[in-house]
């Protein structure tokens, strides 16, 4: 479990390096049937920033945790990218799609932590 928390912290660091906003960490570890232990959700203002955040997360996690995503989808359009690290799934949205899908509210019974934006 400690490795998973380090992975979450490293993902957040990668997001912050590219000024990702609205970082939300959802702890699903106590939810029966959840597909992962954690979701990390954030947004970039444009598809270009979404792509930069994705690259930063991938590189930061590779260097600091020696892990690569099992699956990475959505990079073609860079509107909603999902990175699957098995225990941690990272969602990187453009603002319109994040608002539309509102996946944070699917897990209201989970522990949700909002990470302050870096100025």
């Amino acid at each position: 479990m400690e490795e998973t928390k380090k992975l979450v912290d490293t993902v957040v660091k990668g997001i912050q390096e590219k000024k990702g906003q609205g970082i939300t960490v959802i702890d699903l570890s106590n939810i029966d049937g959840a597909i992962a232990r954690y979701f990390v959700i954030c947004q970039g203002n444009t598809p270009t920033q979404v792509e930069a955040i994705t690259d930063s997360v991938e590189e930061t996690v590779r260097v600091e945790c020696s892990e690569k995503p099992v699956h990475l989808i959505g990079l073609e359009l860079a509107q909603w990218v999902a990175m699957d690290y098995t225990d941690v799934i990272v969602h990187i949205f453009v603002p319109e799609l994040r608002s539309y899908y509102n996946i944070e509210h699917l897990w209201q019974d989970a522990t949700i932590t909002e990470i302050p934006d870096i100025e």
Side-chain angles (χ1 to χ4, degrees):
M1 194 64 153
E2 200 60 42
E3 287 180 25
T4 303
K5 288 183 181 183
K6 179 183 180 197
L7 178 58
V8 168
D9 292 342
T10 305
V11 165
V12 168
K13 179 180 176 182
I15 293 167
Q16 289 174 327
E17 284 182 9
K18 295 300 178 182
K19 306 251 189 283
Q21 298 174 327
I23 302 170
T24 302
V25 177
I26 302 175
D27 182 346
L28 302 168
S29 58
N30 293 320
I31 308 294
D32 290 335
I35 61 172
R37 289 188 178 162
Y38 290 89
F39 274 11
V40 180
I41 304 165
C42 73
Q43 67 189 40
N45 290 321
T46 64
T48 302
Q49 187 181 14
V50 168
E51 188 174 343
I53 293 167
T54 302
D55 291 346
S56 178
V57 168
E58 192 169 16
E59 178 69 10
T60 305
V61 170
R62 185 184 61 76
V63 169
E64 295 189 17
C65 299
S66 300
E67 288 195 43
K68 294 181 181 179
V70 177
H71 298 289
L72 189 142
I73 58 172
L75 202 52
E76 309 79 39
L77 297 176
Q79 302 274 320
W80 174 5
V81 174
M83 305 175 78
D84 182 352
Y85 286 97
T86 308
D87 286 338
V88 179
I89 299 178
V90 183
H91 297 274
I92 307 166
F93 289 96
V94 291
E96 303 80 35
L97 286 183
R98 183 177 187 176
S99 177
Y100 179 79
Y101 287 105
N102 199 15
I103 63 174
E104 291 95 329
H105 296 288
L106 295 174
W107 304 101
Q108 292 180 354
D109 48 347
T111 303
I112 298 176
T113 305
E114 304 284 340
I115 308 293
D117 291 342
I118 293 180
E119 297 295 321

